[in-house]
Amino acid sequence: MNKRAGQMLAMALVMAGVCNGLLSCSQYSNKPISKAYHNLTAHYNAYVIARDRLKEAETILFKTRQENYNQILPIYLPLDSTVSQPVKAQLDDAIKKASMIAERHQNSKWLDDGFVIIGKARLHKQQLDDAMEVFKYVNTRGTDENDKHQALIGLMRAYVETGDYGNGLNVAEYLRAQPLTKANTRDYYLTKAYLHQKKGEYAVAAAILDATFPMLKKGESTARLHLIAGQLYDVIGQSAKASEHFASVLQSRPTYDQSFYANIYLVQSQGLTSDGKRAAQATNTFNRMLEDRKNADLQDKIYYTMGLVEARRGNYDKAVDYYRKSIQTTTTNTAQIPYTYLELGKLYFEHKNDYVRARMYYDSSLALLPAQAPQFAEVANRKKVLDEYVDYYTTIQTQDSLQRLAQMNPAALDKFLDNVIAQREQQSRTQAALAQQAANRPSNANNALATTSDLQPNERWYLYNPVRLSQGRQEFTQRWGNRPLEDNWRRSTKEASAALAGDNNPLTGANPANAVNPVPAITANPATDGVAGGQGAAARTQRDALYAQIPLTREAMEQSKFRMENAYYGLGKLYKFQLNQPADAISTFEQMLTRFPNSGYKPEVYYLLHLSNEQAGRTSGWKEKLLAEFPNSSYARLAGRSAEGTPSANSEIKAQQVYTDAYAQYKAGNYPESLSQVQSALATFAGSHVEDKLALLRVMLIGRVDGADAYRQALSEFIRDYPASSLVPHVKELQAAADGPTAKRR
C-alpha cells in the first residue's frame, strides 16, 4: 500500500507539473515551452492547411484559365472576382485558417506567414484595398525579413493591378537593394516584368523574364512564360530571340495548345525572313499542320497566321485569301473571327485605302470583339471615323444617283423602278427557299438544323452561322443606314442610305457587302421583263416609296444638292485630318468646287487645298487665289500668318499704331475709312498681339456699316477664329445682346 501510495503521489506531481506548464502556454508568453507549443500548433493546425488551400485554389485557377492567344498573354493571370468564384470556398478557408494564427498564436513564428497568405487570398478575390493593408502591416510590424520581402512583392502586385505603377516601381526599387531568397527573387522578377508589361514596356519585361528562367523548373507554367517572352520579343521586332523562346516552349513539357501556338509563332517568325529557303520551309510546315487531323478545330488559326505572314511580306491579296479561309474554316470556337476581321480591316485601311470595305470589317470585328480586349477602344474610334467616311461617301453616291434618276423621262424611270422591285422580290423568294431547305433537313443528331457540328459555316442554318449573321448586319446597314429600333422604321419618308442607281447600288448587284464578305450573299438574277414585279398593290406601294426619294421638284433638288455639297466638304476634311490622305483631300475638294462653284465653303476649301498641297509636297496657287478672292476672310489671315511667322518687334509697334489710328477714326464716326484700314491691317499684321483687338474693332465697324445680320455673323466668326482670345467673353455678351428681342444696334 505504501509503494502504491508513493506511485500515486509521483503521478500526481507529474500531472501537476504538466498542468502548470500548459497553463503557462499563453500566446503572449515568450517562455520557450509556450513558444514551442504555439509554433507547433500554428504550423500544423493553421498554416499548413491555409497554405495548401491557397495552393489548391491557385492550381484550379491556372488549370481552368482561358487563354486568348490573339493577344500577348499576361505574365500573371488577370484578377477577376467572377473567375475566382469557383474557388471561393478554398480562398475563404485559407483566410479562416490563416486568421487563426493571429487569433490564437500571437507569439508564433508563423504569424507573418499567415498574414501573407491572407493578403494573397484577398488578391485572388480582387479585394485589393484589403490585400494592400495586410501586406503593409506585415512590412511594418513583421519580424521575419523574408516574410516582409514576400509581403512587399505582394504589395507591388496589388499596385500593378490598381494601375498605380509609380508606387509599384518605388516598391521594386526598394526590393532591388534587399538580400532576397531564391524564391523571393523569382517572384520579384516575375512581378516586376508584369509591371513593365502592363505599362507597355515590352523590351524591359522580356529582359527581366530572361533573367528569371534559370530559377524556374520545366513545366506548363514555365512553357507559358517562354511563350510570353517570345510574344514580347516578336512585338518589338526581335524575331531571332522570339524564335529562341518559342523553341524553348517545346522543351518545357508544354500542353498541346502551348506547343501548337509555339509552332505557329515559330513558323511565323521564320516565314518573315528574306531567306527564300526558310520561307518555303515555313509554308511547308503550315501545310503539314493543316493536314494534321489533331488540328481540325485549329485550322482557322493556321490560316490566320498564314495571312499575317503574307501581309507582312507585302502580299496583300494572298493575305486576304488566307483570312477568308480562316473564317470559312471556323467550327464551334468563334473566338478567332473578330481578330481575323480586324486584320482584314487594317489591311484595307492601311494598305489598300479602301475605306468602304475597311469599315465593314471593322464593324464585324467590333460586334464580336470582347469589350475588355486591349484594342477595343482603338477599333471603336477607327470605326467611328470610317462610319463618318461611309456616311459622306454614300450620301454623295446616293444624291448623285437620285439626281440622275430625276433627269430620266417618266417611261424609262418607271421601267427602271419595276426592275428594282422585281429584283427585290426575287431576292426575297431565294432567301425564303433557303430557309425552307434548312427547316426541311433531317433532325438527326449529326445534322440537327446544321447548328454547330460538322458542317462548314456556309452550309449552316442562317442564325447559327456567324459569318452570315455578320454579313446580314452589314448589308442592312449598307442599305438602310443605322436606323433606331422603332415603329415604322422602313417608312418611305426615311432616306435610304444606299443609292437607287449607280456603280454602288446594291439593287443592281454591285453591293459592296457582297464583294468583301468571305461568304458572299446569294445574288438574284436581274429580272428581264419587270412586269411581274410591277403588278399589284404591293408593287405600287414600293414604287411610290422609291419615287418619294427622287428629287422631282425644284425644292427637293436643291435639298439634294445641299446634302451633296456638305458631304463633299465633310469627306474632304476627313481625308485631310482623320485619314491623312492629302491627295484624296485635294481631289475631293476640287470635285466639290467643280460641282458647286458658288459654295459658301470656298474660303475654307481654298485654305485646306493650300495646306493639302503643301503636305503632299506640291506647288499650287490656292493661297494666292484665297488672298485674291477673299482677302478679308479669317482663312486668308491664317494663310498669311503661316507664311510670315512671328511678327518682329518693329512690326508689333506698327500694328499698335495702326490700331490706334483706326480706333480714332471709329470714335470720330468715320466708319467706312476705319473699316478699310482695319481690314488691310488684319492682312498685313496677322499674328500680332493686337490682331484680336483689330478683329473686334472690325466686328463693331461691320455692325455700323453693313447692318444687324452682318454684325451677328461677324460676332460668330470672331468666336470661331479667336477661341483663345481674352476678348471672347465680351464678344459673347455682345452676341447675347444682339440676339435679344430688344437688341439695339450701335
Side-chain angles (χ1 to χ4, degrees), residues 75 151 388 613 661:
I75 293 173
E388 190 176 354
N613 277 279
D661 294 343

Side-chain angles (χ1 to χ4, degrees), residues 52-237:
D52 290 346
R53 295 294 275 171
L54 178 62
K55 186 175 181 180
E56 179 185 350
E58 290 176 339
T59 301
I60 293 173
L61 290 174
F62 184 75
K63 291 295 185 182
T64 58
R65 70 192 187 278
Q66 296 293 323
E67 305 276 33
N68 184 356
Y69 291 97
N70 289 291
Q71 306 290 337
I72 299 177
L73 301 181
I75 293 173
Y76 282 125
L77 296 181
L79 299 179
D80 190 330
S81 57
T82 303
V83 173
S84 65
Q85 194 64 29
V87 295
K88 182 178 182 297
Q90 289 91 330
L91 294 174
D92 288 343
D93 197 32
I95 293 173
K96 180 180 178 181
K97 291 296 188 295
S99 299
M100 291 172 58
I101 303 175
E103 295 171 0
R104 305 178 185 180
H105 310 290
Q106 284 284 332
N107 60 347
S108 168
K109 68 179 181 180
W110 300 102
L111 182 62
D112 296 341
D113 301 84
F115 278 121
V116 170
I117 288 177
I118 293 173
K120 290 181 177 179
R122 297 288 186 196
L123 270 181
H124 287 298
K125 296 183 71 173
Q126 214 174 6
Q127 299 171 354
L128 300 180
D129 291 337
D130 294 338
M132 286 192 281
E133 288 299 321
V134 173
F135 290 137
K136 289 177 181 178
Y137 178 84
V138 175
N139 181 55
T140 304
R141 304 290 296 274
T143 58
D144 186 275
E145 289 300 317
N146 291 333
D147 292 337
K148 293 170 70 173
H149 296 158
Q150 197 173 1
L152 285 175
I153 294 169
L155 180 63
M156 180 165 58
R157 167 83 185 277
Y159 278 135
V160 174
E161 297 296 349
T162 58
D164 190 352
Y165 303 129
N167 275 325
L169 287 172
N170 290 337
V171 176
E173 190 64 22
Y174 172 79
L175 286 171
R176 188 173 66 88
Q178 302 302 309
L180 304 179
T181 64
K182 182 178 180 180
N184 282 345
T185 301
R186 175 201 63 207
D187 294 342
Y188 166 69
Y189 281 166
L190 290 175
T191 307
K192 194 167 189 300
Y194 181 57
L195 187 155
H196 289 289
Q197 182 190 30
K198 293 283 282 185
K199 289 185 66 181
E201 299 169 349
Y202 296 145
V204 179
I208 296 174
L209 280 181
D210 277 337
T212 312
F213 287 116
M215 292 177 277
L216 302 175
K217 296 180 181 179
K218 290 184 178 181
E220 182 179 348
S221 60
T222 302
R224 182 177 182 275
L225 291 174
H226 274 298
L227 193 64
I228 294 170
Q231 289 179 314
L232 293 172
Y233 277 120
D234 182 64
V235 168
I236 62 178

Side-chain angles (χ1 to χ4, degrees), residues 421-435 527 532-533:
I421 295 170
Q423 288 185 44
R424 285 183 177 179
E425 292 181 350
Q426 179 61 34
Q427 288 176 346
S428 298
R429 288 193 294 269
T430 303
Q431 293 295 335
L434 182 63

Side-chain angles (χ1 to χ4, degrees), residues 582-649:
D584 290 325
I586 294 169
S587 174
T588 302
F589 284 135
E590 288 179 345
Q591 290 180 47
M592 174 185 172
L593 293 175
T594 301
R595 296 289 296 264
F596 307 99
N598 298 319
S599 172
Y601 297 119
K602 281 180 75 173
E604 184 179 0
V605 169
Y606 282 178
Y607 179 64
L608 292 175
L609 279 168
H610 162 63
L611 294 182
S612 298
N613 277 279
E614 277 192 344
Q615 183 181 355
R618 303 177 184 176
T619 57
S620 71
W622 290 109
K623 176 183 173 183
E624 291 71 20
K625 196 173 180 64
L626 171 63
L627 296 175
E629 293 185 23
F630 305 98
N632 298 317
S633 68
S634 59
Y635 298 102
R637 294 196 294 273
L638 287 172
R641 184 187 306 171
S642 63
E644 296 171 9
T646 304
S648 63

Side-chain angles (χ1 to χ4, degrees), residues 21 61 77 217 287 323 364 367 396 553 555 685 688:
L61 290 174
L77 296 181
K217 296 180 181 179
N287 291 333
Y323 289 143
S364 297
I396 293 171
T553 65
E555 293 78 8
F685 301 107
S688 66

Side-chain angles (χ1 to χ4, degrees), residues 248-423:
S248 296
V249 173
L250 306 176
Q251 301 168 6
S252 301
R253 296 200 291 271
T255 64
Y256 181 79
D257 278 355
Q258 288 174 340
S259 62
F260 171 81
Y261 284 101
N263 275 313
I264 280 283
Y265 298 143
L266 185 60
V267 177
Q268 177 180 327
S269 299
Q270 293 174 347
L272 295 177
T273 180
S274 58
D275 184 349
K277 182 178 179 181
R278 296 192 66 181
Q281 290 175 347
T283 301
N284 292 334
T285 303
F286 279 132
N287 291 333
R288 286 197 301 271
M289 295 177 74
L290 288 170
E291 294 171 359
D292 191 338
R293 293 171 57 186
K294 295 194 296 295
N295 297 331
D297 291 336
L298 296 169
Q299 287 190 358
D300 57 342
K301 181 64 181 182
I302 299 173
Y303 281 121
Y304 169 78
T305 308
M306 295 172 75
L308 287 178
V309 171
E310 294 300 337
R312 294 187 187 182
R313 290 176 180 170
N315 301 327
Y316 302 124
D317 291 336
K318 290 186 68 175
V320 169
D321 290 339
Y322 284 131
Y323 289 143
R324 289 178 175 174
K325 286 182 180 179
S326 172
I327 295 174
Q328 290 171 351
T329 55
T330 299
T331 55
T332 57
N333 185 4
T334 60
Q336 177 60 50
I337 288 181
Y339 299 96
T340 307
Y341 276 137
L342 178 56
E343 290 300 325
L344 278 163
K346 289 166 64 176
L347 189 150
Y348 278 106
F349 182 88
E350 297 171 1
H351 301 293
K352 289 181 173 290
N353 294 339
D354 189 338
Y355 303 120
V356 174
R357 296 191 179 192
R359 183 257 191 178
M360 293 177 180
Y361 284 118
Y362 271 100
D363 181 63
S364 297
S365 176
L366 194 65
L368 301 172
L369 194 67
Q372 64 272 19
Q375 63 270 65
F376 186 88
E378 179 184 354
V379 173
N381 289 335
R382 181 165 287 185
K383 179 188 175 295
K384 184 178 179 181
V385 172
L386 292 173
D387 282 345
E388 190 176 354
Y389 171 89
V390 171
D391 182 54
Y392 292 139
Y393 179 83
T394 306
T395 298
I396 293 171
Q397 298 296 320
T398 300
Q399 299 307 320
D400 182 68
S401 298
L402 292 174
Q403 290 171 26
R404 284 191 281 114
L405 288 176
Q407 305 302 319
M408 295 175 65
N409 64 67
L413 182 58
D414 285 343
K415 183 177 180 180
F416 174 82
L417 295 182
D418 285 343
N419 284 333
V420 169
I421 295 170
Q423 288 185 44

